[in-house]
Amino acid sequence: MKEALRIIETVRKQNRKFLLEHEAKRLCELFNIPVAKSVLVKTIEEAVKVADEIGYPVVLKIVSPDIVHKSDIGGVKLNIKDPEGVKENFLEIMENVKKRKPKARIEGFLVQEMVPQGTEVIVGAIKDPFFGHAVMFGLGGIFVEVLRDVSFRIVPITRDDAYQMIRETKAYPILEGYRTGGPRDVEAVVEILFNVSRMLEKIKAIKELDLNPIMVYEKGKGAKVVDARIFLE
Ligand code: ADP
Ligand code: MG
């Protein structure tokens, strides 16, 4: 809990309204929410060294307090296969940022494990001035964006509530494995929802949270948060 509060304090001190990706992911880890492994680096040499340690393929992402949607400005590079690729993509991201967001302050780069494709789901949260925090669940892609097929619950929720939330969405059969090759790890998603609810109870300052996407794997193989955004009041 101490470290969690320290992260929030740092963000406040820097007059920021949102956590950088690595801060948001660290907060998730502190509440037992599994995230794609990543390390913040400052230089190309460091990036290559860390990529070796994490193991290829890796992902490279820009970290900046002035960039919320990283891929919109060419700040995310996936599936980098070797040190040469790390160097090239590092420079390419720098170029993209210079071109499209010249005033952005650069905190560094995230070197991240490239996680395998899974069934994509989204877990979110908002704080309502009247009801307090609510958690949201939805399947990724068109289910959320086009069909608005999502479910909500007021915090705190139990594991049983979490399971009901997942079952309520029309996309639930997809997680059960309908035409997608076997059931997905629904329990892992239940744990994430439950732990997000715990996080919101402890950290009242969170105004909005967006774990998008979360990759969900076969039953027993877990799930992993790939991108995390957290806004404060
Ligand atoms: P943005 O700030 O643009 O939302 P993301 O971190 O979500 O950036 O990256 C964009 C997309 O790249 C994600 O939606 C996901 O499909 C893919 N992606 C990002 N990180 C990883 C990763 N570590 N492993 C696999 N795919 C990833
Ligand atoms: Mg994202």
Side-chain angles (χ1 to χ4, degrees), residues 165-179:
M165 280 178 79
I166 300 168
R167 297 238 1 195
E168 264 168 33
T169 58
K170 292 182 203 77
Y172 179 67
I174 290 176
L175 285 175
E176 267 192 326
Y178 179 71
R179 289 176 135 183

Side-chain angles (χ1 to χ4, degrees), residues 72-173:
D72 287 358
I73 57 118
V76 177
K77 298 285 180 183
L78 303 174
N79 208 18
I80 301 169
K81 296 204 167 71
D82 50 40
E84 215 37 59
V86 172
K87 290 178 199 162
E88 277 166 23
N89 284 289
F90 192 103
L91 294 172
E92 213 172 295
I93 291 178
M94 292 280 269
E95 281 295 306
N96 291 342
V97 173
K98 243 187 256 161
K99 236 185 303 178
R100 294 175 203 163
K101 203 89 185 180
K103 295 225 177 74
R105 291 160 289 173
I106 311 293
E107 183 88 11
F109 286 72
L110 275 193
V111 183
Q112 195 163 101
E113 75 173 303
M114 172 85 195
V115 305
Q117 188 63 42
T119 302
E120 294 190 13
V121 306
I122 295 173
V123 168
I126 47 162
K127 189 173 188 180
D128 179 90
F130 190 71
F131 293 108
H133 284 124
V135 282
M136 185 214 80
F137 169 80
L139 249 90
I142 62 156
F143 291 102
V144 165
E145 283 156 26
V146 183
L147 303 173
R148 306 255 171 247
D149 180 24
V150 296
S151 56
F152 286 93
R153 284 289 186 291
I154 304 287
V155 168
I157 62 166
T158 62
R159 287 187 170 85
D160 207 49
D161 294 329
Y163 186 65
Q164 291 305 326
M165 280 178 79
I166 300 168
R167 297 238 1 195
E168 264 168 33
T169 58
K170 292 182 203 77
Y172 179 67

Side-chain angles (χ1 to χ4, degrees), residues 3 7 19-39 59 61 70 110-113 115 199 210-213 224-230:
E3 189 182 342
I7 293 172
L19 279 64
L20 298 169
E21 183 179 333
H22 62 288
E23 295 167 333
K25 281 183 167 164
R26 181 64 192 145
L27 201 58
C28 286
E29 280 182 333
L30 292 169
F31 285 90
N32 285 328
I33 298 163
V35 303
K37 196 192 307 166
S38 56
V39 178
V59 174
K61 297 183 188 180
K70 301 173 292 287
L110 275 193
V111 183
Q112 195 163 101
E113 75 173 303
V115 305
M199 182 197 290
D210 189 24
L211 308 182
N212 177 14
K224 230 167 217 188
V225 174
V226 165
D227 185 22
R229 256 193 267 294
I230 295 177

